[in-house]
Amino acid sequence: MASLLQRLDAPSSYKDTKSTLSEKEIKNELERTTTLYVGNLSFYTSEEQIHELFSTCGEIKRIIMGLDREKKTPCGFCFVEYYRHSDALDCLKFINSTKLDDRIIRTDIDPGFKEGRQYGRGRNGGQVRDEFRVEFDAGRGGWGHMQANIERQREAKSKAIYDNVGNAPVGASSKYVAFKSSKGEVKKRGRDDDEEEEGMVSPKKIKEEISNPRFHDEADRANEGL
């Protein structure tokens, strides 16, 4: 009898392009595997957090954290291996698309972990999906690698433009007028400069006068009416 409902414990259509197994062999492995692939993790999610969540579906044999190939730091995925196939299927039913570390994680049944699969396959050492990501994601290291290069070029261009600016634009407020210091560096106009411009005595000048003995003599005479 046909069913309109999709099985929650059914594997996805993903195929490991580097696997040497045939489709029939992969199907046989999936029917008895105890391993799950977990994706969309935060780079800061710990193995302890993963164990606490996934152990609710069964006893865990081991967890293999996905690592950046170059930096050897977590890069957003892992493999969770159970002792029983049924526990792995239960995990697909109850944990897939749940939230861990404020991220919706993805789980998929996996033919089985093999040494070397714990490393990212991206050109920069991380996951391929992070190479082309254009949005800022703090949980996965900020910008994607390509976007990060664009942002660095943009910042360098902006810095080069503003480093060469010696005068404020026409019509700019006096509070933001820039001028050259004695060393030839550009700095913002300070509060003391604005007060002196308006005929007010700056706190810096008052401090200098207080420390001056001559100022004390003149102030004492004024108070005595001399």
Side-chain angles (χ1 to χ4, degrees):
M1 180 178 179
S3 175
L4 297 177
L5 299 177
Q6 184 178 0
R7 288 179 52 191
L8 296 177
D9 57 358
S12 71
S13 58
Y14 170 79
K15 293 181 180 180
D16 185 0
T17 56
K18 293 191 176 183
S19 175
T20 58
L21 299 177
S22 65
E23 290 189 12
K24 185 177 181 180
E25 289 173 326
I26 293 175
K27 183 178 179 181
N28 291 335
E29 290 294 332
L30 293 178
E31 289 177 352
R32 60 186 182 187
T33 186
T34 60
T35 305
L36 286 171
Y37 171 86
V38 184
N40 200 38
L41 291 171
S42 166
F43 287 0
Y44 308 103
T45 298
S46 66
E47 185 175 334
E48 289 75 14
Q49 289 175 281
I50 296 170
H51 189 280
E52 182 179 359
L53 175 62
F54 283 79
S55 62
T56 58
C57 291
E59 187 178 359
I60 294 174
K61 183 177 181 180
R62 63 172 176 167
I63 296 173
I64 302 98
M65 298 296 292
L67 302 175
D68 186 292
R69 190 176 63 253
E70 304 296 335
K71 302 176 183 177
K72 302 300 185 293
T73 55
C75 64
F77 72 99
C78 75
F79 295 92
V80 177
E81 187 175 338
Y82 289 95
Y83 282 98
R84 298 187 302 177
H85 176 68
S86 59
D87 293 339
L89 295 183
D90 286 342
C91 187
L92 283 183
K93 296 175 185 176
F94 305 121
I95 293 183
N96 185 40
S97 297
T98 58
K99 186 174 285 189
L100 176 62
D101 249 1
D102 293 326
R103 302 185 67 84
I104 303 299
I105 60 174
R106 300 188 300 270
T107 61
D108 191 17
I109 204 77
D110 190 87
F113 172 79
K114 291 183 179 181
E115 186 62 33
R117 292 188 65 197
Q118 72 267 40
Y119 298 116
R121 296 177 178 176
R123 286 177 294 179
N124 290 277
Q127 287 192 273
V128 175
R129 65 188 293 257
D130 287 318
E131 297 284 337
F132 304 98
R133 180 166 44 79
V134 295
E135 76 279 3
F136 185 88
D137 190 337
R140 293 184 70 89
W143 297 109
H145 288 290
M146 295 183 66
Q147 188 66 26
N149 290 333
I150 294 174
E151 294 298 323
R152 282 193 292 267
Q153 293 173 6
R154 184 179 299 165
E155 289 178 4
K157 185 176 180 181
S158 298
K159 186 176 185 301
I161 292 173
Y162 287 109
D163 282 349
N164 294 326
V165 175
N167 299 317
V170 176
S173 170
S174 61
K175 293 183 179 179
Y176 303 101
V177 175
F179 61 92
K180 291 285 185 177
S181 67
S182 58
K183 294 183 179 180
E185 299 175 347
V186 177
K187 65 178 183 179
K188 286 187 178 180
R189 195 172 183 85
R191 181 182 296 175
D192 293 347
D193 303 311
D194 293 335
E195 291 174 345
E196 289 179 358
E197 185 181 76
E198 298 171 2
M200 299 176 64
V201 180
S202 69
K204 182 178 180 181
K205 188 173 182 180
I206 293 174
K207 186 176 181 181
E208 291 174 352
E209 290 178 342
I210 291 175
S211 62
N212 190 331
R214 182 186 172 192
F215 172 78
H216 288 290
D217 293 340
E218 293 176 352
D220 292 341
R221 289 171 186 170
N223 291 333
E224 293 171 359
L226 297 176

